[in-house]
Amino acid sequence: MGVARVISQRMIKMTEGGSAIRAMFEEGARMAAQFGRENVYDFSLGNPNIPAPEKVRESIVRIASETDPMELHGYMSNAGYPEVRAKVAASLNRRFGADFNEDNILMTVGAAGGLNVLLQTLLDPGDEVLVFAPYFLEYGNYVSNFGGVLKAIPANIEGNFQPDAQALREAITPKTKALLLNNPNNPTGVIYTEETIRAIAAVLEEKQAEYGHPVYLISDEPYRELAYDGRKVPWLTGFYRNTLVGTSWSKSLSLPGERIGYVVVPSACDDAKLIFDAAVIANRILGFVNAPSLQQRVVAECLEEQTDVAAYDKNRRALYEGLTDAGFEAVYPDGAFYLWVKTPEDDRQFCDRAKKHRILVVPGASFACPGYVRIAYCVSFDMIRRSLPAFRALAEECGLSK
Ligand code: PLP
């Protein structure tokens, strides 16, 4: 019996897609075994290299040893512990002058869990979700999980990858249920400015009035805390009423494996109560049930903690300077920990060429934007330093050297 009869057609496609990522992992491991780990420059993964703040470990140990196990490990409200949600709300109010309470916060299994919860809550089969390219390609899977259709708005290359509100106006249709916005952006490292956000909000306002139904703005912002040069990341609920936020502590506290994040459903949203109640059910029936109990308590104690942004900043500067000196053209990142580099040839071909120099990077095609590569600089500074001669040799081979 062929494989087509065993697993779903949709999963066959995803398995094929997933094997490209697996192949990259395997390639990294193979190269490390062959050349020694220190001689392979693996910039492919967005896995933070900075340890979680010490307070996270202290909180885990203390909470685990001091809390009654029945209380610590049991089920709770599917939305999460009320006192944790209240603390998250208070922290947002302090930081952004918002007015949230525990009924606006749903604890989730990372940002990915939160986005899936929101999309299950909003989408009927055939509903469209818009996104500006380049974007985190998993969005396509998240949207199709619920029968939705992800439509990409082409990258605004001339506008230095700031989303173009006019392009949104051209792409939006009465079937558009939501716009997914990721700020700071993976893969470009660009922070969408207040001006950009205002222009997007104006189009959404105009269109939802025209269509007579809400168009939600879903803000995916796990990189919010990673902003450089004093740059501010606009807090979107202040710009557009129908904003829903999905985020996590995966990058801001280096906890991606712990799967802890949250969703914000502001009371000002159209049908806020309905959305929140449905999202709680989605959290349950997607099989998450609730966010991890220990981690909820831990993050509630670590809301003021910060990762070492200065270390990422040092990497950012060294890599940008090193690569542009070598002759590459790159977007100077405002946030996150990615450098977005223009390729002098087809991006997949360039990635293969880079491998010969023991450099692993991700093709722009993996973010719906060929002609670029993403370099994740959440790696040791030492690796960046050691990799620069390899990048220089790569530039020379491509005829770029200055
Ligand atoms: N959104 C973007 C843009 C990401 O880059 C990632 C992870 O890399 C996620 C969502 C998922 O984050 P989490 O690990 O918190 O689920």
Side-chain angles (χ1 to χ4, degrees), residues 167-180:
L168 168 65
R169 186 187 300 282
E170 283 157 25
I172 198 165
T173 77
K175 283 178 143 182
T176 304
K177 207 50 168 305
L179 168 69
L180 246 171

Side-chain angles (χ1 to χ4, degrees), residues 10-89:
R10 183 167 167 264
M11 288 312 296
I12 288 173
K13 275 203 204 121
M14 287 197 186
T15 310
E16 284 160 8
S19 64
I21 295 167
R22 207 163 46 242
M24 177 101 72
F25 262 123
E26 281 162 12
E27 184 73 359
R30 189 193 60 73
M31 285 167 70
Q34 188 178 352
F35 304 113
R37 189 153 292 284
E38 68 286 0
N39 298 316
V40 177
Y41 314 116
D42 189 346
F43 293 98
S44 60
L45 281 182
N47 202 10
N49 68 306
I50 294 178
E54 187 51 31
K55 174 128 190 236
V56 170
R57 188 205 301 268
E58 281 167 24
S59 302
I60 291 173
V61 171
R62 186 171 30 73
I63 294 167
S65 56
E66 288 177 5
T67 317
D68 170 7
M70 296 307 287
E71 199 190 314
L72 180 61
H73 302 304
Y75 290 121
M76 84 292 304
S77 154
N78 297 143
Y81 293 113
E83 62 278 16
V84 170
R85 290 153 50 208
K87 279 192 177 173
V88 171

Side-chain angles (χ1 to χ4, degrees), residues 142-172:
Y142 299 169
V143 168
S144 72
N145 278 343
F146 310 105
V149 180
L150 188 75
K151 276 182 36 182
I153 302 171
N156 181 14
I157 295 173
E158 296 72 39
N160 205 23
F161 295 97
Q162 287 288 325
D164 176 11
Q166 182 53 33
L168 168 65
R169 186 187 300 282
E170 283 157 25
I172 198 165

Side-chain angles (χ1 to χ4, degrees), residues 96-114:
F96 306 118
D99 187 21
F100 301 129
N101 61 46
E102 66 194 52
D103 296 329
N104 302 115
I105 309 293
L106 163 61
M107 303 304 290
T108 62
V109 174

